[in-house]
Amino acid sequence: LPTIETKILQSRSIADSIVDYAREGNFDLIILGAKTPKSSVTLDSSAGLGGMGRIVDYVLRNAHCRVCVLRT
């Protein structure tokens, strides 16, 4: 079974911390929640997605791995 790891990060830049932590841990997936009227979306980091908020958009554009954004 795959391992799921959760952690609370404190930082001045949330988006940078998420991306850096995932890279340092060599994670293969980041799962984020976002308030949006759209249904769940899965995109790779090269795509980006406007209207989801600046943190989600930054992670989508800068993560080294896949990012799954779920509607909350």
Side-chain angles (χ1 to χ4, degrees), residues 34-55:
K35 291 183 180 180
T36 175
K38 305 241 181 215
S39 59
S40 299
V41 180
T42 302
L43 297 172
D44 67 21
S45 60
S46 63
L49 184 63
M52 297 284 285
R54 60 186 170 87
I55 294 169

Side-chain angles (χ1 to χ4, degrees), residues 15-64:
D16 278 333
S17 293
I18 292 169
V19 170
D20 291 345
Y21 185 72
R23 184 176 291 116
E24 290 166 8
N26 198 30
F27 299 156
D28 55 4
L29 177 65
I30 298 170
I31 300 174
L32 299 172
K35 291 183 180 180
T36 175
K38 305 241 181 215
S39 59
S40 299
V41 180
T42 302
L43 297 172
D44 67 21
S45 60
S46 63
L49 184 63
M52 297 284 285
R54 60 186 170 87
I55 294 169
V56 171
D57 191 57
Y58 181 89
V59 173
L60 285 168
R61 292 179 188 277
N62 294 285
H64 76 287

